[in-house]
Amino acid sequence: MEYDWLSLLPHLILAGGAVLLVAASAASRRFAGAVAPYFTVAVAAATAVAALVLWREPAVSWFGALTVDPFFVIFAVIFCAALALVALLSARYAPLEGSDRPEYYALLIMVTCAVSFMASATNLVLIYVAIEFSSILSYVLVGYIRGDRFSAEAGLKYFLYGAAASAVMLLGFGLLYGMTGATDLAAIARSLPRVEWAFGSWGYLTFLAPVTGAAATLPPEFVFLAFALILVGLGYKISAVPFHMWAPDAYQGAPTPIAAFLSVASKASGFAVILRLVLTLHAPLDMVYGGWTKYLAALAVASMVFGVLVGIVQKDVRRLLAYSSIAHAGFALLGVVADTHLGFASVLVYLALYAAMNIGAFGTVAVIGHVTGGYDLKDYAGMGKRHPILAAALAVFLLALAGIPPLAGFFAKFYILAALIARDYIFLAVVAILASVVALFMYARVLKPMYFGKAEGEDMRRVSPAAAVALLICFIFTVLLGVWPQPLVAWAKAAVVPLLPRI
């Protein structure tokens, strides 16, 4: 069906919610500002439910440009969870940063709508429009703090880097269209070399992997150039090295809840497009250059090593978490490098677990920052005594990000490593393990002043109920999914397998 309105329901709920919030603010600005956070949570919940209803009802609409399938559903749930948690975190702390206007929440909802389109788009034109839509709204949110020089500077840098990356990516899309004469991913795939798949195994794990393919019929140099240019734009979206320059400044200058949202939703949407492209087109470069994955592997290693090494010397906790997110982008990219359905599923698992851990970490930093008035490491001195529950929560989130068992981060990294070892990518697995060890030292730089620093000043005030609920949800998922990840793994595998070529 060309127009399947049911498949558009998640997007329509988000778009309608944003419009309704703007209209309400015109009628009563004070009332709209007061209910906006909780209205945003309701919109996120309704969208997630609508997406889950479509799990068993995959559909294609807009003349094949939009696909709603399990792959989209799992990303939609991640986006909606991030939206709801960030709205709760913003309810108390956004006013302190001058971001309490209802338009702030309307922009958040619209960004979620844009990244949802990115996860479901199967046409180059719609992919590009969705990326631009989400980027423009993100520039506004990063520079949202009025009168703050750092916020304005961060928004400007984010815009300039984003404009350059977008232009390069558009050139890649144009080259691909010029060679194939199509913008639809399925039509493009028919013009590119085919790849056969076969079953492999490693221990108790069974997986599908590409084994051979037919000869290429397109100019190999131009095919390579097109994908390289597209990778520049998507590398910027996931903040992979060397396209990461915007991330530390944007995370430091943006309202802290927005930094949490960008580090999860924006990154996940970039991976959604990468996975959709790889799973649909699957690697014509394999036949031309003997393995396209080596280029992604180089990006992944550079991101992990650069992220943890530069993160160690940071004194601002928000910048430290920014470099942490760069390292995690590299780790997640290794799942794509594995190039099996096990590897692709591991990326989905990693992103879902990373959302709980990282929003929890950023949320705790936002709470502490507003009370202490700073984000420097010295502001965390004695936090274990001044507010032991908050300090313990931050410790759990940071240890989870480091991959300490039995927390969620450990299983996320284990699943990626299992996919790599199953393909005999031992070197990459060793580099990832070493990067995780160094990352533990990076996170310890926050834990040390919290528990061994001298407590100064009065005990911290109580945390707002909305923020406490958001942090508690993140805490529960960070712990629970670390010891019981099986449902999430089964969900991720079910989302990926239907997109693999038939064997």
Side-chain angles (χ1 to χ4, degrees):
M1 181 181 292
E2 303 298 354
Y3 289 100
D4 187 337
W5 292 106
L6 181 62
S7 66
L8 293 175
L9 190 57
H11 306 91
L12 292 175
I13 292 174
L14 289 168
V19 171
L20 192 59
L21 192 55
V22 172
S25 69
S28 175
R29 194 169 183 78
R30 175 176 294 184
F31 174 76
V35 303
Y38 311 104
F39 177 79
T40 303
V41 173
V43 170
T47 305
V49 171
L52 289 170
V53 168
L54 296 171
W55 176 269
R56 298 187 182 280
E57 300 290 339
V60 177
S61 60
W62 282 12
F63 299 97
L66 199 67
T67 299
V68 173
D69 51 13
F71 180 82
F72 159 75
V73 172
I74 196 168
F75 275 102
V77 172
I78 293 175
F79 298 149
C80 290
L83 173 64
L85 292 170
V86 169
L88 288 173
L89 289 170
S90 301
R92 170 66 178 86
Y93 299 101
L96 300 176
E97 293 181 332
S99 308
D100 57 329
R101 290 166 287 180
E103 293 84 356
Y104 169 88
Y105 297 94
L107 286 170
L108 262 178
I109 297 173
M110 290 307 295
V111 174
T112 308
C113 183
V115 294
S116 297
F117 271 109
M118 287 174 63
S120 60
T122 52
N123 185 287
L124 293 182
V125 175
L126 187 57
I127 290 173
Y128 183 76
V129 170
I131 290 175
E132 281 301 288
F133 187 27
S134 71
S135 298
I136 291 171
L137 295 172
S138 299
Y139 304 150
V140 177
L141 285 170
V142 168
Y144 205 82
I145 305 176
R146 286 177 295 183
D148 186 282
R149 181 175 66 84
F150 292 106
S151 181
E153 180 182 338
L156 180 60
K157 285 183 177 178
Y158 192 18
F159 166 72
L160 293 176
Y161 289 135
S166 173
V168 173
M169 182 175 61
L170 184 60
L171 181 58
F173 283 164
L175 278 175
L176 205 54
Y177 171 72
M179 288 184 290
T180 62
T183 57
D184 181 73
L185 294 185
I188 293 172
R190 288 191 289 272
S191 301
L192 297 176
R194 295 179 60 82
V195 175
E196 306 297 333
W197 292 65
F199 281 107
S201 64
W202 179 71
Y204 64 90
L205 298 173
T206 302
F207 57 89
L208 283 166
V211 291
T212 185
T217 56
L218 295 173
E221 295 81 6
F222 286 101
V223 174
F224 174 79
L225 180 60
F227 279 92
L229 295 175
I230 293 171
L231 189 59
V232 171
L234 297 178
Y236 158 83
K237 202 67 183 171
I238 65 173
S239 66
V241 173
F243 316 111
H244 66 284
M245 290 79 76
W246 62 275
D249 291 330
Y251 288 14
Q252 185 181 20
T256 311
I258 293 301
F261 185 81
L262 291 178
S263 69
V264 172
S266 180
K267 194 182 296 292
S269 65
F271 273 103
V273 175
I274 290 175
L275 288 172
R276 182 78 77 177
L277 286 172
V278 168
L279 287 166
T280 307
L281 304 180
H282 201 277
L285 299 180
D286 258 358
M287 274 62 69
V288 182
Y289 291 94
W292 57 275
T293 54
K294 62 186 177 185
Y295 303 102
L296 289 182
L299 287 183
V301 170
S303 300
M304 286 189 299
V305 174
F306 183 86
V308 296
L309 291 181
V310 180
I312 287 177
V313 299
Q314 300 302 312
K315 295 182 178 178
D316 188 294
V317 179
R318 293 168 301 180
R319 292 185 71 87
L320 186 148
L321 289 178
Y323 284 101
S324 162
S325 79
I326 292 169
H328 279 281
F331 217 111
L333 206 53
L334 290 177
V336 186
V337 173
D339 195 20
T340 62
H341 90 282
L342 181 64
F344 299 138
S346 71
V347 178
L348 299 186
V349 171
Y350 196 96
L351 293 174
L353 298 177
Y354 177 73
M357 298 182 290
N358 209 48
I359 290 180
F362 264 109
T364 313
V365 168
V367 174
I368 294 175
H370 284 301
V371 174
T372 61
Y375 296 94
D376 196 276
L377 288 175
K378 67 177 186 299
D379 297 314
Y380 287 70
M383 193 60 63
K385 296 179 181 177
R386 297 171 62 191
H387 202 308
I389 295 178
L390 208 53
L394 181 57
V396 168
F397 293 133
L398 293 179
L399 292 175
L401 287 170
I404 299 298
L407 301 172
F410 170 74
F411 181 78
K413 292 186 176 183
F414 168 80
Y415 207 39
I416 293 279
L417 292 174
L420 287 175
I421 296 173
R423 292 298 306 275
D424 290 329
Y425 293 154
I426 305 300
F427 172 75
L428 292 176
V430 171
V431 172
I433 292 172
L434 292 176
S436 297
V437 173
V438 179
L440 179 59
F441 180 69
M442 176 177 69
Y443 297 120
R445 292 198 66 224
V446 183
L447 300 178
K448 181 182 176 182
M450 280 204 311
Y451 287 102
F452 298 102
K454 183 179 179 181
E456 296 180 353
E458 300 177 356
D459 291 346
M460 292 183 62
R461 290 167 288 179
R462 295 175 58 186
V463 180
S464 75
V469 169
L471 295 180
L472 180 62
I473 292 172
C474 293
F475 184 87
I476 291 173
F477 277 94
T478 298
V479 175
L480 179 64
L481 291 177
V483 297
W484 191 45
Q486 289 85 353
L488 180 61
V489 172
W491 205 24
K493 285 183 177 178
V496 166
V497 169
L499 297 181
L500 295 173
R502 294 181 181 276
I503 60 173

